[in-house]
Structures are given as structure tokens and as C-alpha cells.
Amino acid sequence: MAGIEKLLHRVSPSVRALSAYDSSRPRRRIKLDGNESPFSLSGELRSEIARVAENLPLNRYPDPNCEWLKKAVSERTGTDSSGIVFGNGSDELIQILIAAFCGESETVLVPAPTFSMYALTAQVLGKKVVKENLTPDFDINPEAMLAAMNAHNPDIVFLASPNSPTGNLLSPGKVEAVIAGAPGIVVVDEAYFSFCGKTHVALMKKYENLAVMRTFSKIGFAALRLGALFMNPELAAQAEKVRLPYNINSFTQAAARVFFENPGVFEENINIIKSEREKMFQTLGSIDAIKVFPSAANFFLIQFNGAKTAGEVHRALIEKDILTRNFPDTDMADCLRVTIGLPEENREFEESLRAIISGL
């Protein structure tokens, strides 16, 4: 039998050079780190899901094509059902896109900062990653992006709008300039669409190289792991070749019906989050020694400029049983990302943050 060192030597160099994405977090009473919805499902909706689950034929594979779900999503978004691809969360869709469409230059172009899974997944699959910095207000620099596309001929460009972890919408005209100038596919990740209502779906009729991603994770179904990709049907057919069979389990498909049959419940929760977003922006903006960036999503990016560092504040909040997202050993080490929680959680966070910064 080969020794462990010999076996480890067989790990691809691109994987050996990486650090695993760390989604583990300490458990705390107030969880403001994951950009999930703070609202649990009501007892009525839980009972409805339980009723549906009770009748699932667990001895059978799930619907491989998610036919009911595809029809429901198509009707709600006004997109062609033959151009919809489902993934086990957006993470799998990112993997599918890179595996299917990164075959000419084997290069992915991403702005910086943005969602880390675009670059990480590309590197895992042995692709080259090119990063182009956003402007100081976190918008696209179209001239720089076009120059990068001319220099590197990327197969895929990933853009997130609203962007994560910054929270801002990218300028629509600048996004379109990138789509128009891209040699390959441009993926616009609209994970936070529900909190801003701004979409690029209509541009798909004008640009065949545009794909749009959405997720159920931010509106109350993070545990289901369900993402949707909208793209040209001919391109979707290629993506389907690398999608694993039965990737969306029967329970997820059945539970997703609850959303489509009870949209008002989720829309009410989204409106509460949007209202809290306005309150928090005003309150946090009055605290000295921090900068709060405007957000069109369900979270805020906060930069620390005073005596307290982001790391110190992060640890102090944990001691107060409040968990936020920090970015150690990155260009954003002076920032925290804070998910908008329940109203009472937000008030406690604001008070705790003010006390920590004041040294109370």
C-alpha cells in the first residue's frame, strides 16, 4: 500500500495550493454572519412542508429535471423554462458553469472584492483567475475590465449585483458594457435580488452571452440548498451535460412549493428586512470611528477607522453572544459584514457596537 505522502502527492497542484473555504462559525445567540433570513417558518408553513414530505416516495430518485419547479420559476421570472438550470445552491451552479464553459482560455475574470467562491471554484478546477479591482466606491471600472478581457480572453466573467461583501448595486450601464465587450459568458449573480428588485434578466434577450443566477438561500430557505441559473437554452443544454443527475433532492423540490404557494409570507419578511436596513443605516452612520457603506442587500459592510480594529470588535461582539463576519488576512481585514437580523437583534447589535467602540 502506498504511503500517505505518496497519496497526497497525487492531489492536483491547484488543490494543494488552496485553503478550504471555512464556513464553520462559533454558535452564538445572535447570528448576523451568514446573510440568511432571520425569520423561521411559521408553524403553519412547517406543517405544510411536513405534510408534503410525509407523502414523498423516499425509495425513489427525485425528478431529475425538476419539472414542476422549473415551470413555477419560469412563470415567476418570465424566463424560458428550457434555459433554466437548477443547482444545489449557487455554489454548484458556479462549478457547473466553470466546468462547462471554461474550455478555451481556461480563464475566469472576477472583480475584487466579490464573492470568494467564483475564484476558489475556478482554482479547484485548475483554471486561471484574473482579478480586477473595483473602484473606491465598489463599482465596476469598465475600462479596466475591458482591458483585462482584451488581455486575457476570459471564458467567464462573474459579477455580483448587489455585490458581496460590499452590498452595493453595480451600475447597470457599466454591467452592460462588460456584457457587450466580453468574449465569453458573463454571469450576473443576483443572490440579493429580493432586497433591491433590480435585475438583468431582460438583457438576456439582447445578449446571448448573459447568464443570471438567483438563490433561495437569502429569503428563508438556506437549508434547502437551491439555486437557479437563467441562460440561453442552447447554452443551458451544455450546462446540463455536466450537472450531476438528481442533484436537487425530492424534499427540496417539494419544500420549494411552499414558497410559490405562499409568496406573501416571504415578501412580508423581506419588507421588514428592507425597513430595518434603512433604520440601521441611519443609526450606524451616527457612530464615530466607523464607515457604513450603503447596501441594497440584506447586510452591511462596516469599516473601522478608529482605535478599535475590526478584529477586536469582532471578538468583543462574540463575547456579547453576537456573531458577525470578519475577513482576517485579506484586503478587507479592517471591515466586518453584518447581516440584518430581527428588529430586536439589530437593536442589541447597535447598542453593543456603540458600547464596544466607546470602551464602555
Side-chain angles (χ1 to χ4, degrees):
M1 181 181 293
I4 189 65
E5 291 301 324
K6 289 185 177 181
L7 295 175
L8 288 173
H9 188 70
R10 292 179 181 272
V11 176
S12 67
S14 60
V15 172
R16 285 203 302 268
L18 294 173
S19 297
Y21 183 90
D22 184 10
S23 57
S24 61
R25 303 284 185 272
R27 291 186 177 274
R28 289 296 181 268
R29 179 172 53 85
I30 297 179
K31 189 176 186 302
L32 305 178
D33 67 310
N35 295 351
E36 307 130 309
S37 170
F39 297 98
S40 298
L41 294 183
S42 67
E44 183 179 350
L45 292 183
R46 286 176 179 271
S47 297
E48 189 172 338
I49 289 176
R51 176 184 56 78
V52 173
E54 186 178 18
N55 296 317
L56 288 177
L58 298 181
N59 59 316
R60 302 297 183 189
Y61 287 115
D63 175 1
N65 298 314
C66 304
E67 293 294 352
W68 185 93
L69 187 58
K70 190 170 288 189
K71 182 175 183 293
V73 171
S74 172
E75 291 176 352
R76 184 172 178 85
T77 59
T79 56
D80 187 339
S81 62
S82 62
I84 298 175
V85 180
F86 289 114
N88 193 311
S90 294
D91 291 342
E92 187 189 25
L93 292 174
I94 294 166
Q95 186 178 50
I96 287 171
L97 284 160
I98 295 171
F101 299 107
C102 208
E104 184 174 319
S105 67
E106 299 195 355
T107 299
V108 170
L109 173 62
V110 299
T114 195
F115 184 42
S116 61
M117 288 305 295
Y118 309 139
L120 179 59
T121 305
Q123 290 169 321
V124 166
L125 295 176
K127 308 304 180 183
K128 178 182 177 182
V129 177
V130 175
K131 296 184 179 181
E132 190 60 50
N133 288 336
L134 294 172
T135 63
D137 59 349
F138 301 129
D139 205 355
I140 293 174
N141 181 334
E143 292 77 16
M145 291 291 286
L146 290 170
M149 290 190 289
N150 289 332
H152 300 283
N153 186 32
D155 293 314
I156 305 177
V157 178
F158 283 100
L159 303 174
S161 186
N163 188 40
S164 178
T166 61
N168 61 296
L169 284 163
L170 303 178
S171 296
K174 295 178 180 179
V175 171
E176 185 168 0
V178 172
I179 299 168
I185 290 175
V186 176
V187 182
V188 179
D189 187 347
E190 296 182 346
Y192 302 95
F193 160 77
S194 297
F195 306 101
C196 65
K198 305 295 184 182
T199 181
H200 299 80
V201 165
L203 285 178
M204 291 172 58
K205 296 178 181 179
K206 183 177 180 181
Y207 298 102
E208 293 180 333
N209 66 327
L210 172 60
V212 175
M213 281 198 306
R214 300 265 182 90
T215 179
F216 282 69
S217 295
K218 312 306 177 186
I219 59 174
F221 282 123
L224 294 187
R225 307 304 299 130
L226 180 60
L229 175 68
F230 311 105
M231 62 193 319
N232 179 283
E234 290 186 44
L235 296 178
Q238 299 302 312
E240 289 287 355
K241 294 178 181 179
V242 299
R243 180 180 64 83
L244 295 177
Y246 312 114
N247 64 324
I248 309 300
N249 67 73
S250 295
F251 178 78
T252 292
Q253 293 187 47
R257 281 186 179 239
V258 173
F259 169 78
F260 290 100
E261 293 172 355
N262 301 274
V265 174
F266 298 92
E267 289 166 3
E268 181 179 346
N269 291 342
I270 289 167
N271 286 334
I272 293 173
I273 292 171
K274 289 164 68 175
S275 175
E276 282 294 303
R277 183 174 65 195
E278 297 305 314
K279 294 177 184 177
M280 290 184 73
F281 186 69
Q282 295 299 322
T283 300
L284 295 173
S286 68
I287 299 177
D288 292 335
I290 68 172
K291 179 178 181 180
V292 184
F293 293 93
S295 176
N298 67 338
F299 62 87
F300 285 105
L301 183 71
I302 303 175
Q303 184 179 49
F304 293 82
N305 308 308
K308 298 285 187 180
T309 68
E312 290 170 336
V313 174
H314 180 255
R315 290 187 292 272
L317 285 167
I318 288 176
E319 291 177 1
K320 292 179 177 290
D321 233 8
I322 301 173
L323 188 59
T324 58
R325 180 74 161 89
N326 64 332
F327 303 94
D329 304 318
T330 71
D331 292 339
M332 302 188 69
D334 60 344
C335 295
L336 294 181
R337 191 190 68 196
V338 181
T339 307
I340 298 168
L342 297 172
E344 58 270 24
E345 294 175 332
N346 299 331
R347 301 294 85 75
E348 185 169 343
F349 164 74
E350 293 163 352
E351 293 169 6
S352 297
L353 179 62
R354 194 183 295 275
I356 291 167
I357 291 176
S358 301
L360 300 178

